[in-house]
Amino acid sequence: MAAEREAGRLLSTSSSRRCCPPRPLLLLLPLLLLLGRPASGAAAAKNGSPPQSAGASVRTFTPLYFLVEPVDTLSVRGSSVILNCSAYSEPSPNIEWKKDGTFLNLVSDDRRQLLPDGSLFISNVVHSKHNKPDEGFYQCVATVDNLGTIVSRTAKLAVAGLPRFTSQPEPSSIYVGNSGILNCEVNADLVPFVRWEQNRQPLLLDDRIVKLPSGTLVISNATEGDEGLYRCIVESGGPPKFSDEAELKVLQESEEMLDLVFLMRPSSMIKVIGQSAVLPCVASGLPAPVIRWMKNEDVLDTESSGRLALLAGGSLEISDVTEDDAGTYFCVADNGNKTIEAQAELTVQVPPEFLKQPANIYARESMDIVFECEVTGKPAPTVKWVKNGDVVIPSDYFKIVKEHNLQVLGLVKSDEGFYQCIAENDVGNAQAGAQLIILEHDVAIPTLPPTSLTSATTDHLAPATTGPLPSAPRDVVASLVSTRFIKLTWRTPASDPHGDNLTYSVFYTKEGVARERVENTSQPGEMQVTIQNLMPATVYIFKVMAQNKHGSGESSAPLRVETQPEVQLPGPAPNIRAYATSPTSITVTWETPLSGNGEIQNYKLYYMEKGTDKEQDVDVSSHSYTINGLKKYTEYSFRVVAYNKHGPGVSTQDVAVRTLSDVPSAAPQNLSLEVRNSKSIVIHWQPPSSATQNGQITGYKIRYRKASRKSDVTETVVTGTQLSQLIEGLDRGTEYNFRVAALTVNGTGPATDWLSAETFESDLDESRVPEVPSSLHVRPLVTSIVVSWTPPENQNIVVRGYAIGYGIGSPHAQTIKVDYKQRYYTIENLDPSSHYVITLKAFNNVGEGIPLYESAVTRPHTVPDPTPMMPPVGVQASILSHDTIRITWADNSLPKHQKITDSRYYTVRWKTNIPANTKYKNANATTLSYLVTGLKPNTLYEFSVMVTKGRRSSTWSMTAHGATFELVPTSPPKDVTVVSKEGKPRTIIVNWQPPSEANGKITGYIIYYSTDVNAEIHDWVIEPVVGNRLTHQIQELTLDTPYYFKIQARNSKGMGPMSEAVQFRTPKALGSAGKGGRLPDLGSDYKPPMSGSNSPHGSPTSPLDSNMLLVIIVSIGVITIVVVVIIAVFCTRRTTSHQKKKRAACKSVNGSHKYKGNCKDVKPPDLWIHHERLELKPIDKSPDPNPVMTDTPIPRNSQDITPVDNSMDSNIHQRRNSYRGHESEDSMSTLAGRRGMRPKMMMPFDSQPPQQSVRNTPSTDTMPASSSQTCCTDHQDPEGATSSSYLASSQEEDSGQSLPTAHVRPSHPLKSFAVPAIPPPGPPIYDPALPSTPLLSQQALNHHLHSVKTASIGTLGRSRPPMPVVVPSAPEVQEATRMLEDSESSYEPDELTKEMAHLEGLMKDLNAITTA
């Protein structure tokens, strides 16, 4: 029962010092009773508490608190002072004192000593101008050894200084019954020591004579006995200090009126709740004024209120001030002739008061706790925390959260002690404390988790039972590491593989720091936790521990993890200051951030007008900036953010400053004049709008004059906030002009316009209300009624105005007052077709007269249909680009110069008919043109325009059409497929669909194919397709080889993107099909059938009947044999001895190539083109005036070779169109005929010097001149077909240069274009079945070389300089003749003509067979 007795003792001691026990002790009582009883094992298990041994008992909280704390004290020099302090604890605490934060050494101090109860006694207070050892802030400190320390509130000891008068009484006089004042102002701390004397005798104060808190003496309702000499005396412990004497004279009452003035105005003041406030207000005048008080426009009842009292002279005293007393007070003085008022602001401050005090806390090491502290006060208090008497400095482990609460992270044993929350504001301070006890890990926390334990560290506080403990968690890893958090995961301990009922605690600390923190999992079985609020680039050590119902198990091995570094941003710019430099500008200055984290690149200055939420900013490169163009006398807030290479840093705190004041920028408002009588007029006005006042209005300047010309202007100034003024002494029946201007400390603002009023001829009767107006007339309109009237017949009664009332069915709904001179008024904003009752009354200062009634019905509302406007005319569409069209029009409803001067606008609409259901798009314009953008390329649009003016609109104009320009295709061909041709394994058919976004008419396609999908695009072989065909054949591919195909579309604007690569593997060899089926040479004049069945390369084929196909093949074979035999016989007979020499020469030249065959068997070679050097160029942009076209038919003899002169320009120009698909199939070149339906490519060539075409390394090499003039070589292709080379000639004088050739590796499995060269003399032999032929090496001839031409075929993949390709040009006639003579050809023109005619007959027979 010892615990019960201890609890009773605590409660009894607590009740002896408080009305009720402390809350922590009440909570502790049942706990102490529970712990004091012996509990059996069964009882412990039932209650969830283990048996506690004596060594492991829970320590109780020790009461330590102040019974008395020091208070603020005012003393005088030489007196004694006691600062009270008393504290309670067991054992008794040790009391010490601090002055200005430093402990006092009272042992050797002979003036200051510690009293037995702990109070501080100071004898003979010392205070002088240069030595003030006793004045300052004192604090009492109570300490209990081995327990902790607490500190009291801070008390200020003030010592009154030497008496000094800031104002002294002056001689004055007052009338009997009036009020007067005598000033005596001294130091604020000496006011309590001021007293008054009259005629060197102490003055007795009563209800008629009072001393204000400032020391001023107020005498009200003066009598003759108040006359005499007055002085004030200050007695502050030393010799008294006397002021000058002043004589007060009391005058007898006078019949003359004295102006009403304030002798003392109320001044704004600040008071603390509970104090008394005296608002002085003394007025003087004859008749004697009466003082009344108002607060916020409410009249104060000083007679019935217990806290409000009206002192002598009219001052207001408020006792026991509360927060509700704060506000604006008005002192109003009225003597019947005049009323004046003055105002003052009363601010009530409240010392700090605790709404929630810290509570005692039990905790274990590594936990996080929060001491809660909630305070209030006015102004808002600041809070600091003290631990055992020392101020807690916020750090990583001690943090202020939720404004005032103290959070302690990762508790350690040294954190134990007393924590105090100290709140302070301008009018006081207060403290409240609590105790923290750190329990051992084997001692259960005796209470449920208090709210002061954070959710992250709330321990599972159920007492443990005996049993096996879990082993260490396994595989602890940091699964996510960021700059400020780390996510840990782990596996269950080996001792409990399931771990459903296990909870986990993660202990962590900074590397090198002893303070450890703990984070618990949120629910049993959870094996991950996220640790928040870490520091960037910091190493932390983590350990995980599992708990079961028996307690905590083993800890995992320490895991070392370093957080990610954070981007280093600048800190706030220090010492930011702002000051106004003019009424419209403010200068802001600051310094470089202390933590710039790198070079500061610039600053951003933010500013905002007070009362708005729109913040503006400006970039600044220096440390100051002046913002101009601000509003006058307006408060702005400013802040600065520094920027470095990582971005914006931390913003500074806002600083507020107001621009300087200026003269008002607008005149007063609502100026009105009221004629009082025949000699006076009252002026009324309102201040200028707040935005135009530009400062504090200090008064108004009134100027008035007679309306007659050359009259003098009289000026009077009204000070303060007065908004009316009586102008007296005017002439009867005279018109006056008045104007008013507002004043600030900066000067006078603009004045109002002159306003006129005329005084009465005589002082009319205003003892009764005016009579009824003599007439009233109304004229109703649709939404208004015009009211007119005549004044009352009796003109001897003052009429100050007329009141017009009106409403539907009742005249009392609305009332309007007009000037007495007005005779009509228009009532606006009425409802149409409504019955209104109208009343008219004349009024004066006595009241309103008898009303006169009338009624009227407003007219119905009829809205005529607006006549439509004329539609715009001359709408034109001017195409500007592929997506932009300008629409222009004219408006016949405008003047001739077509200048728009009204608010009309135009609506432009447009659409395209593809697809048919396309909706119109609209846009408005205020000019006679509009730029329509965002259109589709190569699309026809229709446009129309409509004009609108007010509610009138025109119909749509006639439509104008315009088609946008073409644009290169923006999408590739789609649905690309590759299939093998039946029966021809080396031939494939490529099919595709046009691009989705062709953006113009497709003029052709280019097929790229390669065996290496990763090869550069310039290494791919290209196959051009002219026109909009969607299929193409490619022959002579290598069997059992994978090929990759891409397709690119082209229109008149250029090439589009390529399609994705499509793979196709050619089939394996199927017998000998496709190897021996060569078609005979049918001559250059042969034209394949339109069906394209014989086109071996790219033309679509039509299915034929198998019998018909067999007949055709047999017929062609027979004819071919006959033709070959005839030609062979013919050629053999014409062979001469000179030709034999030529063959020998050819053989000697080409012997190194090991070609088979003879010279006349040589076929024209295909020109292999290096694709990386080619660029497709539009034909019409060729810089060569006479380009040589590659689709020129191959010459068969000397007659076919024409000179290259200006006559070729027309032919070349005609052939340019063939590249764009306009040339017919009949005009295909011999090369195209030889290659079937393969499309032609016209390649313009630019003149360049001869270059050797080694890839990527163009150069010029020289070779020894060959002794041979002509060269014929032969080459056997893989299929056994022979290839022929053409004779090349040159016009260059240097015969030693070789003719460079474009070539590729002969082993390449692909094929390329063939560009024909000049054939040798003799009948050419063509093999139309040959799709392509490898390029043969062409040797240099003795003839002069032609100039080198550069072939360009578009931009294949990327932009590259054109590759030099040598194309032998057709020699001129003279050279061709010479060449034929050198070869000693035995052909004559007549013989050649006969042979060609014979071949043409054979070709006609073959055409007849095939068409049949």
Side-chain angles (χ1 to χ4, degrees):
M1 303 301 290
E4 296 180 2
R5 289 194 297 272
E6 177 66 13
R9 183 184 62 79
L10 291 177
L11 289 176
S12 63
T13 55
S14 175
S15 60
S16 65
R17 60 184 170 88
R18 295 184 184 179
C19 62
C20 57
R23 181 180 176 186
L25 295 181
L26 286 176
L27 296 175
L28 194 60
L29 177 59
L31 175 66
L32 294 177
L33 296 176
L34 178 62
L35 293 175
R37 297 174 183 172
S40 63
K46 178 180 179 182
N47 295 324
S49 300
Q52 301 289 344
S53 63
S57 61
V58 178
R59 289 184 295 138
T60 60
F61 295 110
T62 302
L64 176 59
Y65 53 88
F66 286 102
L67 298 173
V68 179
E69 294 185 74
V71 296
D72 295 346
T73 303
L74 175 64
S75 178
V76 295
R77 185 178 57 176
S79 63
S80 298
V81 174
I82 294 180
L83 297 175
N84 294 315
C85 178
S86 178
Y88 170 80
S89 180
E90 289 191 11
S92 297
N94 180 35
I95 302 295
E96 295 178 284
W97 282 86
K98 283 183 178 182
K99 177 181 179 293
D100 298 331
T102 304
F103 281 101
L104 293 175
N105 184 7
L106 302 179
V107 177
S108 58
D109 197 328
D110 56 349
R111 292 191 307 107
R112 290 179 285 206
Q113 57 180 315
L114 189 66
L115 299 181
D117 64 346
S119 300
L120 179 64
F121 174 72
I122 304 176
S123 61
N124 190 20
V125 172
V126 176
H127 189 82
S128 64
K129 183 176 182 181
H130 302 290
N131 185 26
K132 303 175 182 179
D134 295 332
E135 195 172 56
F137 293 91
Y138 289 81
Q139 195 172 34
C140 180
V141 181
T143 304
V144 177
D145 293 337
N146 301 322
L147 189 62
T149 301
I150 60 174
V151 296
S152 70
R153 68 178 300 276
T154 302
K156 180 182 179 181
L157 174 60
V159 180
L162 298 176
R164 290 187 182 85
F165 294 102
T166 56
S167 68
Q168 301 192 44
E170 297 178 352
S172 60
S173 60
I174 56 176
Y175 284 92
V176 173
N178 228 316
S179 299
I181 62 173
L182 293 170
N183 292 320
C184 179
E185 295 184 8
V186 296
N187 314 15
D189 49 7
L190 292 177
V191 170
F193 306 103
V194 173
R195 65 180 181 87
W196 282 87
E197 288 184 349
Q198 179 187 13
N199 298 325
R200 304 287 177 95
Q201 296 295 322
L203 179 64
L204 299 178
L205 304 179
D206 52 22
D207 294 340
R208 195 175 59 83
I209 303 175
V210 296
K211 184 191 72 173
L212 298 180
S214 62
T216 299
L217 184 68
V218 178
I219 301 174
S220 64
N221 193 17
T223 63
E224 293 181 358
D226 296 328
E227 196 172 65
L229 296 175
Y230 288 82
R231 68 177 182 180
C232 65
I233 305 128
V234 179
E235 296 176 325
S236 58
K241 179 79 172 180
F242 296 95
S243 71
D244 296 338
E245 284 188 327
E247 182 180 6
L248 177 65
K249 293 183 178 180
V250 178
L251 306 178
Q252 296 299 319
E253 288 189 32
S254 173
E255 294 183 358
E256 294 184 3
M257 292 189 300
L258 291 181
D259 194 20
L260 181 62
V261 295
F262 280 115
L263 300 179
M264 177 175 284
R265 292 174 174 270
S267 57
S268 298
M269 62 179 60
I270 299 174
K271 289 295 180 180
V272 179
I273 187 172
Q275 294 181 344
S276 294
V278 175
L279 296 172
C281 184
V282 180
S284 174
L286 287 178
V290 176
I291 303 293
R292 70 177 187 274
W293 283 87
M294 300 174 65
K295 177 192 174 186
N296 300 334
E297 300 182 357
D298 295 329
V299 178
L300 297 179
D301 185 4
T302 57
E303 296 181 358
S304 60
S305 175
R307 294 191 305 111
L308 302 180
L310 199 62
L311 303 180
S315 298
L316 178 66
E317 181 181 32
I318 307 174
S319 304
D320 193 15
V321 170
T322 64
E323 288 189 77
D324 295 336
D325 293 328
T328 304
Y329 289 81
F330 297 88
C331 175
V332 182
D334 188 2
N335 65 353
N337 294 329
K338 187 177 182 180
T339 300
I340 57 176
E341 68 176 37
Q343 68 181 44
E345 190 79 18
L346 174 61
T347 303
V348 178
Q349 295 183 335
V350 182
E353 182 179 352
F354 287 98
L355 301 178
K356 189 172 188 179
Q357 298 187 7
N360 296 333
I361 296 177
Y362 281 116
R364 290 197 185 98
E365 287 188 278
S366 302
M367 280 186 173
D368 297 348
I369 64 167
V370 174
F371 284 109
E372 296 181 342
C373 180
E374 189 175 345
V375 296
T376 184
K378 190 175 182 180
T382 59
V383 170
K384 66 179 180 180
W385 282 86
V386 173
K387 177 205 167 189
N388 291 332
D390 296 326
V391 176
V392 175
I393 300 175
S395 64
D396 292 343
Y397 298 98
F398 289 86
K399 298 182 177 180
I400 304 299
V401 297
K402 293 184 179 179
E403 193 174 2
H404 296 146
N405 298 341
L406 174 66
Q407 183 182 39
V408 185
L409 305 176
L411 291 175
V412 295
K413 190 67 177 177
S414 60
D415 291 333
E416 224 176 34
F418 287 91
Y419 290 80
Q420 290 176 277
C421 174
I422 299 179
E424 183 178 8
N425 64 7
D426 295 342
V427 293
N429 62 88
Q431 62 82 26
Q435 185 180 2
L436 170 64
I437 293 180
I438 305 294
L439 299 177
E440 301 295 336
H441 282 286
D442 58 346
V443 178
I445 295 180
T447 61
L448 292 176
T451 57
S452 55
L453 290 178
T454 64
S455 59
T457 60
T458 300
D459 208 344
H460 299 277
L461 303 176
T465 59
T466 57
L469 299 175
S471 59
R474 297 173 292 173
D475 301 336
V476 179
V477 294
S479 60
L480 182 59
V481 179
S482 182
T483 56
R484 295 187 179 273
F485 70 87
I486 291 177
K487 182 179 181 181
L488 293 180
T489 59
W490 57 87
R491 292 172 55 208
T492 56
S495 60
D496 192 352
H498 298 290
D500 295 336
N501 297 321
L502 295 181
T503 58
Y504 298 89
S505 296
V506 178
F507 296 87
Y508 64 98
T509 182
K510 285 184 184 179
E511 189 175 49
V513 178
R515 185 179 290 272
E516 190 176 53
R517 298 184 59 192
V518 63
E519 185 84 18
N520 296 320
T521 54
S522 58
Q523 58 187 5
E526 187 177 14
M527 288 179 291
Q528 66 178 19
V529 70
T530 300
I531 310 298
Q532 304 277 0
N533 302 320
L534 303 181
M535 299 299 295
T538 305
V539 177
Y540 288 87
I541 308 298
F542 296 89
K543 295 183 296 183
V544 183
M545 183 183 298
Q547 294 101 14
N548 60 13
K549 62 182 179 179
H550 305 300
S552 299
E554 299 178 17
S555 173
S556 65
L559 175 65
R560 185 178 182 274
V561 183
E562 182 176 4
T563 53
Q564 298 287 338
E566 192 172 46
V567 176
Q568 298 299 313
L569 298 174
N575 299 329
I576 178 172
R577 292 185 293 272
Y579 55 91
T581 55
S582 75
T584 59
S585 62
I586 292 176
T587 298
V588 186
T589 62
W590 60 90
E591 296 178 3
T592 304
L594 301 178
S595 56
N597 294 324
E599 182 183 357
I600 301 298
Q601 294 180 342
N602 70 307
Y603 299 90
K604 193 176 286 289
L605 173 61
Y606 296 88
Y607 62 98
M608 180 172 60
E609 181 183 347
K610 184 178 180 181
T612 65
D613 56 357
K614 182 180 180 182
E615 191 173 46
Q616 298 175 298
D617 61 82
V618 61
D619 290 327
V620 184
S621 58
S622 61
H623 292 97
S624 65
Y625 189 79
T626 299
I627 301 176
N628 299 305
L630 303 179
K631 296 181 180 179
K632 298 178 180 180
Y633 199 66
T634 303
E635 186 174 350
Y636 289 86
S637 63
F638 300 86
R639 64 185 181 92
V640 175
V641 176
Y643 280 71
N644 64 7
K645 62 182 180 180
H646 300 297
V650 182
S651 173
T652 63
Q653 295 293 327
D654 288 355
V655 293
V657 67
R658 185 185 295 272
T659 51
L660 299 180
S661 62
D662 199 2
V663 297
S665 55
Q669 306 177 91
N670 302 331
L671 179 65
S672 63
L673 304 175
E674 177 188 348
V675 181
R676 282 285 181 93
N677 48 50
S678 60
K679 291 187 177 182
S680 62
I681 295 177
V682 177
I683 308 174
H684 300 274
W685 65 89
Q686 293 295 321
S689 61
S690 57
T692 60
Q693 292 182 10
N694 302 335
Q696 193 73 29
I697 299 297
T698 59
Y700 296 90
K701 182 180 292 185
I702 302 172
R703 304 180 69 189
Y704 61 95
R705 66 185 181 189
K706 293 181 180 179
S708 59
R709 296 183 179 181
K710 298 182 180 181
S711 59
D712 296 333
V713 176
T714 305
E715 186 175 287
T716 181
V717 175
V718 178
T719 60
T721 58
Q722 187 173 331
L723 299 177
S724 64
Q725 179 67 22
L726 176 64
I727 305 298
E728 298 181 306
L730 305 179
D731 295 341
R732 297 174 180 269
T734 305
E735 184 179 4
Y736 286 86
N737 296 332
F738 296 85
R739 68 191 312 179
V740 180
L743 303 176
T744 63
V745 294
N746 304 87
T748 306
T752 61
D753 294 332
W754 290 101
L755 188 62
S756 301
E758 184 179 351
T759 55
F760 299 142
E761 286 288 346
S762 60
D763 290 333
L764 302 178
D765 181 16
E766 201 173 0
S767 60
R768 51 182 176 156
V769 298
E771 295 183 358
V772 62
S774 56
S775 67
L776 173 62
H777 304 279
V778 294
R779 183 165 64 90
L781 301 175
V782 177
T783 58
S784 61
I785 296 176
V786 179
V787 182
S788 59
W789 63 90
T790 54
E793 294 180 357
N794 187 355
Q795 299 290 321
N796 295 322
I797 302 177
V798 175
V799 175
R800 302 205 174 269
Y802 296 91
I804 304 171
Y806 65 95
I808 298 178
S810 171
H812 307 298
Q814 304 244 5
T815 301
I816 298 171
K817 290 188 176 181
V818 297
D819 187 71
Y820 72 96
K821 292 183 178 180
Q822 199 158 334
R823 294 294 180 265
Y824 66 91
Y825 183 80
T826 302
I827 306 173
E828 304 283 353
N829 301 321
L830 303 180
D831 296 333
S833 303
S834 300
H835 182 270
Y836 284 88
V837 177
I838 301 167
T839 180
L840 178 70
K841 294 179 287 186
F843 67 88
N844 56 21
N845 290 335
V846 177
E848 294 179 346
I850 301 173
L852 190 63
Y853 291 90
E854 191 63 77
S855 63
V857 178
T858 52
R859 297 179 183 177
H861 182 65
T862 57
V863 180
D865 294 334
T867 57
M869 300 184 68
M870 296 177 61
V873 297
V875 180
Q876 294 182 353
S878 302
I879 295 87
L880 302 182
S881 68
H882 65 275
D883 65 347
T884 305
I885 295 179
R886 179 180 295 279
I887 309 301
T888 58
W889 61 89
D891 190 347
N892 285 342
S893 61
L894 292 175
K896 291 184 179 180
H897 55 70
Q898 293 285 291
K899 185 176 181 180
I900 302 173
T901 58
D902 50 24
S903 61
R904 71 179 63 197
Y905 65 92
Y906 301 90
T907 303
V908 182
R909 71 174 184 180
W910 66 92
K911 64 170 290 189
T912 178
N913 292 327
I914 302 175
N917 58 350
T918 304
K919 295 183 178 179
Y920 279 103
K921 291 185 178 180
N922 298 288
N924 292 335
T926 56
T927 59
L928 297 177
S929 66
Y930 184 75
L931 199 65
V932 182
T933 58
L935 304 178
K936 295 181 180 180
N938 193 40
T939 304
L940 180 65
Y941 287 89
E942 65 176 36
F943 303 88
S944 54
V945 187
M946 177 177 69
V947 61
T948 301
K949 179 181 178 182
R951 293 183 299 170
R952 302 171 58 200
S953 297
S954 71
T955 57
W956 290 104
S957 68
M958 297 183 66
T959 59
H961 294 82
T964 52
F965 292 148
E966 292 187 1
L967 182 68
V968 295
T970 53
S971 65
K974 57 185 179 180
D975 301 338
V976 180
T977 59
V978 182
V979 296
S980 177
K981 187 171 183 180
E982 184 178 0
K984 292 186 179 182
R986 298 179 60 188
T987 301
I988 60 98
I989 300 175
V990 183
N991 303 301
W992 64 91
Q993 292 298 319
S996 301
E997 298 173 1
N999 298 337
K1001 181 180 180 181
I1002 297 298
T1003 58
Y1005 297 90
I1006 291 182
I1007 302 175
Y1008 297 78
Y1009 61 97
S1010 171
T1011 58
D1012 183 6
V1013 71
N1014 296 320
E1016 294 291 336
I1017 195 63
H1018 54 71
D1019 289 333
W1020 291 49
V1021 180
I1022 61 176
E1023 284 282 342
V1025 179
V1026 174
N1028 56 0
R1029 293 192 295 109
L1030 302 177
T1031 183
H1032 188 73
Q1033 291 187 11
I1034 301 177
Q1035 298 184 353
E1036 300 303 331
L1037 301 182
T1038 305
L1039 297 176
D1040 194 19
T1041 303
Y1043 285 85
Y1044 300 90
F1045 298 86
K1046 296 182 180 180
I1047 303 184
Q1048 190 177 25
R1050 175 186 178 87
N1051 60 16
S1052 63
K1053 291 298 182 180
M1055 310 298 295
M1058 293 184 186
S1059 65
E1060 295 293 332
V1062 175
Q1063 181 183 7
F1064 178 79
R1065 178 179 286 273
T1066 54
K1068 298 181 180 179
L1070 300 175
S1072 59
K1075 291 189 177 181
R1078 302 289 186 192
L1079 292 176
D1081 186 354
L1082 302 180
S1084 61
D1085 294 336
Y1086 172 73
K1087 298 180 181 179
M1090 295 305 293
S1091 64
S1093 60
N1094 291 332
S1095 62
H1097 204 348
S1099 299
T1101 60
S1102 303
L1104 299 175
D1105 184 80
S1106 59
N1107 295 330
M1108 179 62 70
L1109 182 61
L1110 182 60
V1111 173
I1112 293 173
I1113 293 174
V1114 172
S1115 301
I1116 293 175
V1118 172
I1119 295 173
T1120 303
I1121 294 172
V1122 172
V1123 172
V1124 170
V1125 170
I1126 293 174
I1127 294 176
V1129 172
F1130 184 77
C1131 292
T1132 303
R1133 191 174 59 213
R1134 291 296 181 179
T1135 303
T1136 64
S1137 61
H1138 186 71
Q1139 290 171 332
K1140 293 178 182 179
K1141 295 178 183 179
K1142 282 179 55 183
R1143 283 195 292 273
C1146 292
K1147 186 174 183 180
S1148 66
V1149 173
N1150 298 314
S1152 61
H1153 297 277
K1154 299 180 181 181
Y1155 288 139
K1156 297 179 181 181
N1158 51 44
C1159 203
K1160 65 183 178 183
D1161 295 332
V1162 175
K1163 294 180 61 179
D1166 286 351
L1167 177 60
W1168 285 76
I1169 299 173
H1170 281 286
H1171 306 295
E1172 73 272 22
R1173 301 288 183 87
L1174 300 183
E1175 181 179 1
L1176 287 175
K1177 294 183 178 178
I1179 297 303
D1180 52 3
K1181 295 182 180 179
S1182 173
D1184 192 347
N1186 295 312
V1188 178
M1189 300 302 172
T1190 59
D1191 63 347
T1192 304
I1194 300 172
R1196 296 184 296 275
N1197 51 38
S1198 60
Q1199 279 76 11
D1200 292 336
I1201 301 172
T1202 59
V1204 181
D1205 55 12
N1206 293 334
S1207 63
M1208 294 180 64
D1209 290 347
S1210 61
N1211 296 332
I1212 293 170
H1213 180 69
Q1214 292 173 359
R1215 288 192 175 104
R1216 286 176 182 172
N1217 291 332
S1218 66
Y1219 185 69
R1220 300 183 180 179
H1222 300 296
E1223 187 178 20
S1224 65
E1225 294 294 335
D1226 294 340
S1227 64
M1228 293 178 64
S1229 66
T1230 304
L1231 176 63
R1234 169 181 159 272
R1235 306 188 71 178
M1237 292 303 291
R1238 176 175 293 197
K1240 301 179 296 297
M1241 293 191 65
M1242 300 180 60
M1243 296 179 289
F1245 298 92
D1246 305 331
S1247 298
Q1248 291 184 356
Q1251 297 180 1
Q1252 184 170 350
S1253 58
V1254 179
R1255 180 173 301 167
N1256 295 331
T1257 58
S1259 62
T1260 303
D1261 298 331
T1262 60
M1263 296 178 62
S1266 174
S1267 60
S1268 173
Q1269 295 178 353
T1270 60
C1271 173
C1272 297
T1273 58
D1274 183 48
H1275 171 67
Q1276 187 72 25
D1277 74 355
E1279 297 297 320
T1282 61
S1283 301
S1284 301
S1285 65
Y1286 292 110
L1287 175 66
S1289 63
S1290 174
Q1291 293 178 342
E1292 297 292 338
E1293 293 181 1
D1294 184 7
S1295 64
Q1297 287 187 340
S1298 65
L1299 186 61
T1301 59
H1303 63 88
V1304 297
R1305 295 184 297 274
S1307 61
H1308 200 290
L1310 307 177
K1311 58 192 187 62
S1312 180
F1313 304 114
V1315 179
I1318 299 175
I1325 299 174
Y1326 300 100
D1327 186 1
L1330 267 177
S1332 62
T1333 307
L1335 182 65
L1336 301 180
S1337 176
Q1338 301 177 358
Q1339 302 299 328
L1341 306 178
N1342 288 336
H1343 300 287
H1344 302 297
L1345 290 174
H1346 255 300
S1347 61
V1348 177
K1349 306 295 181 177
T1350 302
S1352 299
I1353 310 179
T1355 55
L1356 303 183
R1358 64 170 182 249
S1359 177
R1360 296 179 298 278
M1363 176 206 139
V1365 178
V1366 173
V1367 180
S1369 302
E1372 299 201 9
V1373 175
Q1374 292 82 356
E1375 294 180 357
T1377 305
R1378 190 185 308 116
M1379 183 176 64
L1380 294 175
E1381 290 175 356
D1382 293 341
S1383 65
E1384 296 184 1
S1385 175
S1386 61
Y1387 283 118
E1388 294 297 335
D1390 295 337
E1391 295 176 350
L1392 185 60
T1393 302
K1394 292 178 181 180
E1395 292 297 330
M1396 292 308 299
H1398 179 65
L1399 288 176
E1400 287 177 0
L1402 292 176
M1403 293 301 297
K1404 291 178 180 179
D1405 296 339
L1406 178 61
N1407 284 335
I1409 293 172
T1410 56
T1411 54

